[in-house]
Amino acid sequence: MAPYVLVVESDPERQRQIAETLREANYELSTEREAVWARRSLAIRTPDALVVNTRLSDGTGFGVASELRREAGAAGVPVFFLASAFRGPQHAAEARRRFGPAAYLPWPTDPSSLLASVLRAVPPPEGPRRSRVPSSPPPEADEEQAREREQVEATAPQLAASDARIQGNLSQDSFARVLRQLYVERRTGALLMVRESTKKIVYVEDGYPVAVRSNVLSECLGQILLARRRISRSALETSLERMKQEKRRQGDLLVDMGILSPHGLAEALVFQVESKLLDLFSWRGGNFIFKDGWKVEGEAVVLERPTAALILEGVRRHYDDERREQVLAVAAGRFIVPTSDPWLRLQDLTSDPQDRAFMARADGTRSLEEVMNLPPVPRDRAVALMVAMLESGVVQARETPEAPLESEAPREPLAERDVESRPQSEAPRKGPAPLWAPGPQRRSRAELAALVETMRVKTHFEVLDVDAEAPRVVVDAAYEELARTYHPDNFRGRSTTVKELVDHIFARLSEARRTLTDPDLRKSYFVRLERARSHGGAGPDAVTAAEQVYYTGVGHMRDRRYAEAESAFRQATTLVPGQPSYHGALGWAIYRRAPMDPAGATEARLELEHAVALAPDDPWMRVSLGRLLAESGLPDEAVRMFESALKLTPLSAEIEDEMRRLSGDA
């Protein structure tokens, strides 16, 4: 069983980062922000370790530690003080004398230092984590879960009543890959999962799970809290009785009863949704069907972990050795290559430094076996990581290795190098971010809007903050840093407006990187820049103006305003006729505006064919045309176009999957 750690920290961002670091190291966690609620939590369940800031919003961490020491049998529980107001060695010595803490860390500090201290004092188990949700049914008095069960039973037939594009059986596909498809396509709707008498409905918004409804009575909030020992049996029974009398939600009653803090309730609701969702990774059979447009009733929950991180947790909890080996067998003897799509490649899978170092080894120059056998990641942890990387689409397997860049030493991923050994041209120009700095998701809407407007009038070099002579390795490094910061995973809990702004930023960064890392596209871009500068005159040059209206069009496409997108892309092609991506985007805008219009479909195809002619060595222009042909009902022509793309980017798993699907339809 994983050690139980109570984290008490008033700053939400620090608490989130501490909890994330410890959770990924296989600890069971509860968090509180106030001393008064931390004391109540201690009275319900004694932790195996306490991590507490010395200064809290309503008191001190020393008071919480004193309360712990008064608990029977808690004298040896390790305490880790985070001294945000460090008052010198004498104060630290007095704290050590009074409480005998396992660590007294000046704050802020490197989170790995805290993790190392906790690992020494209470090492977690090495084996896979298992769900703590009980298997026995709850008391019949839990009317809240009974109502949810009735709702699921009533909704399931409606979802299953008609055909849908996304449907299948888990004996042929995994739940992880179903989630990945919804994530890639940024779907909003309801996913019905059925296995024998068990039914679950996963509600998805913009590709992210936000709620799970279940007909399994044991997945109610009270039973989950009881299993985690966050409430007592008597508190559960009292809350159930009051639910019947007052017709209120159990979580609200537990807060009124002083059993849970408001923060503890929010944490418990997230845990409940995650528990229901993660159980689906254990399913080896059962049917699924997804319907667009369905919205969850009531408030949705913002899960702490994005889709890729949920897949990793599902693999760790519910994939046994046989199932893990089945996933790896598909990649056996093949090279593990980062997926070309940055949306997938840069997913927020894990923040653990050791795990990230392992992931960096999958740079396309090593086979699966080579990546797995490099020290020091334990075998079981490495297997789970690799399975999750493959299932979430962060990497793919192919027969040939990725050629190392000329400016890189072979077989040495950039993320693993010693910074001091890098050439000066590759050294970061900026200093390291301050420890425990606010995460990117806390940037305001005004800041993001200003960044979008600034990026519209910048060149690709200025957007990535690289010199015009920068080699590809520098461009890639600059892009990876910025794209990870502004990946939509980091903003999934924000407003629709903020998410749209982040989409603009991410698309702008990706376009800049794509142009500057392709020799032909980069050369053409230089030519356009020089041509625009040679015209002189007032106002923005043609390239800048074209990029500005192009990204306006990208925003219209995401909002499904296809007529406005078509107008913007036409302006861009007029300003810079030789840019293939503008013609490709125009083709798709024309097609999306009227997909059933034969004349429009023909014009769309001509635009995409023109884009391919302008960039004959760009495989993804051909993929874009192939997808248009497939949607237009021309699978044979689409397959031929994909085959031509494969000649330019051999054995791309993404293209091969598309070809297999089309060949089956043809």
Side-chain angles (χ1 to χ4, degrees), residues 435-566:
L435 294 170
W436 304 102
Q441 67 274 16
R442 298 182 73 175
R443 289 178 172 84
S444 70
R445 182 179 65 179
E447 289 176 306
L448 295 169
L451 181 57
V452 168
E453 293 304 316
T454 301
M455 294 175 97
R456 280 176 173 166
V457 297
K458 284 185 173 182
T459 67
H460 292 330
F461 298 103
E462 292 168 335
V463 164
L464 297 180
D465 193 18
V466 297
D467 297 331
E469 297 78 21
R472 176 172 176 173
V473 65
V474 176
V475 172
D476 276 337
Y479 168 75
E480 293 276 329
E481 180 181 354
L482 289 167
R484 284 191 188 279
T485 298
Y486 292 101
H487 192 285
D489 277 1
N490 295 321
F491 298 83
R492 62 192 182 280
R494 300 289 298 276
S495 68
T496 300
T497 302
V498 165
K499 288 189 284 189
E500 289 173 352
L501 290 169
V502 172
D503 284 344
H504 284 300
I505 295 169
F506 192 77
R508 182 71 180 91
L509 292 168
S510 298
E511 176 69 11
R513 184 255 179 191
R514 178 175 167 274
T515 300
L516 299 186
T517 55
D518 183 292
D520 293 331
L521 293 178
R522 183 167 178 162
K523 182 178 179 180
S524 299
Y525 185 64
F526 267 121
V527 171
R528 293 200 306 275
L529 286 175
E530 290 303 317
R531 185 186 303 136
R533 291 191 185 102
S534 67
H535 291 313
D541 60 40
V543 172
T544 301
E547 288 184 351
Q548 183 170 350
V549 296
Y550 169 74
Y551 286 105
T552 299
V554 170
H556 289 321
M557 285 291 286
R558 286 201 169 89
D559 295 337
R560 295 180 172 82
R561 296 192 294 266
Y562 300 124
E564 292 92 334
E566 179 184 345

Side-chain angles (χ1 to χ4, degrees), residues 37 43 49 88 94 111 137 150 158 210 249 312 407 445 457 484 490 543 646:
W37 287 106
E94 177 63 15
E150 293 175 1
Q158 301 174 43
V210 295
R249 290 184 176 276
L312 174 59
S407 55
R445 182 179 65 179
V457 297
R484 284 191 188 279
N490 295 321
V543 172
L646 278 175

Side-chain angles (χ1 to χ4, degrees), residues 115-269:
L115 176 59
S117 298
V118 177
L119 287 170
R120 284 193 295 269
V122 279
E126 289 294 335
R129 281 170 276 190
R130 301 297 177 190
S131 174
R132 295 291 307 276
V133 179
S135 57
S136 58
E140 294 182 2
D142 192 337
E143 295 183 346
E144 190 172 343
Q145 188 64 19
R147 286 193 298 270
E148 180 174 312
R149 180 177 187 169
E150 293 175 1
Q151 179 190 37
V152 170
E153 294 289 355
T155 305
Q158 301 174 43
L159 288 170
S162 59
D163 291 336
R165 191 175 75 82
I166 301 176
Q167 59 181 316
N169 190 285
L170 292 182
S171 60
Q172 283 85 43
D173 215 339
S174 67
F175 178 63
R177 298 203 174 195
V178 176
L179 275 187
R180 180 174 107 187
Q181 182 177 0
L182 299 178
Y183 172 78
V184 169
E185 298 180 7
R186 305 187 73 169
R187 296 276 181 164
T188 294
L191 174 68
L192 172 64
M193 309 290 300
V194 181
R195 185 183 64 175
E196 298 176 349
S197 62
T198 300
K199 300 182 182 73
K200 296 192 182 189
I201 301 174
V202 181
Y203 291 91
V204 179
E205 289 186 7
D206 203 26
Y208 297 101
V210 295
V212 184
R213 301 289 185 257
S214 168
N215 70 347
V216 180
L217 291 176
S218 61
E219 292 186 330
C220 61
L221 179 64
Q223 287 295 105
I224 289 174
L225 290 170
L226 181 65
R228 299 182 71 206
R229 291 189 284 165
R230 295 300 312 275
I231 62 174
S232 64
R233 170 64 67 175
S234 63
L236 172 63
E237 293 172 351
T238 301
S239 67
L240 291 172
E241 186 62 32
R242 288 185 60 177
M243 284 172 65
K244 292 175 61 177
Q245 297 172 356
E246 303 176 27
K247 306 300 181 185
R248 295 175 61 195
R249 290 184 176 276
Q250 187 176 35
D252 296 334
L253 287 169
L254 289 169
V255 172
D256 285 353
M257 292 164 61
I259 305 299
L260 283 182
S261 67
H263 168 75
L265 173 60
E267 181 185 61
L269 291 172

Side-chain angles (χ1 to χ4, degrees), residues 195-361:
R195 185 183 64 175
E196 298 176 349
S197 62
T198 300
K199 300 182 182 73
K200 296 192 182 189
I201 301 174
V202 181
Y203 291 91
V204 179
E205 289 186 7
D206 203 26
Y208 297 101
V210 295
V212 184
R213 301 289 185 257
S214 168
N215 70 347
V216 180
L217 291 176
S218 61
E219 292 186 330
C220 61
L221 179 64
Q223 287 295 105
I224 289 174
L225 290 170
L226 181 65
R228 299 182 71 206
R229 291 189 284 165
R230 295 300 312 275
I231 62 174
S232 64
R233 170 64 67 175
S234 63
L236 172 63
E237 293 172 351
T238 301
S239 67
L240 291 172
E241 186 62 32
R242 288 185 60 177
M243 284 172 65
K244 292 175 61 177
Q245 297 172 356
E246 303 176 27
K247 306 300 181 185
R248 295 175 61 195
R249 290 184 176 276
Q250 187 176 35
D252 296 334
L253 287 169
L254 289 169
V255 172
D256 285 353
M257 292 164 61
I259 305 299
L260 283 182
S261 67
H263 168 75
L265 173 60
E267 181 185 61
L269 291 172
V270 168
F271 187 86
Q272 181 190 27
V273 173
E274 282 199 356
S275 296
K276 292 179 178 182
L277 184 74
L278 291 169
D279 173 67
L280 291 166
F281 287 91
S282 68
W283 289 23
R284 301 293 294 271
N287 298 315
F288 63 87
I289 185 169
F290 179 82
K291 293 295 184 67
D292 287 301
W294 286 64
K295 295 268 185 130
V296 62
E297 295 181 6
E299 295 184 6
V301 175
V302 179
L303 299 182
E304 295 178 357
R305 289 180 271 213
T307 300
L310 288 169
I311 290 174
L312 174 59
E313 184 67 13
V315 168
R316 284 175 169 166
R317 288 196 191 189
H318 295 299
Y319 278 40
D320 57 22
D321 292 341
E322 177 188 3
R323 195 171 181 191
R324 294 181 183 192
E325 291 303 324
Q326 286 176 349
V327 175
L328 295 182
V330 178
R334 304 172 74 187
F335 292 88
I336 304 303
V337 181
T339 302
S340 58
D341 183 353
W343 177 266
L344 283 171
R345 185 179 71 254
L346 300 177
Q347 290 179 88
D348 188 8
L349 184 73
T350 174
S351 62
D352 183 273
Q354 190 179 43
D355 291 349
R356 284 186 178 272
F358 172 84
M359 293 173 63
R361 298 170 181 170

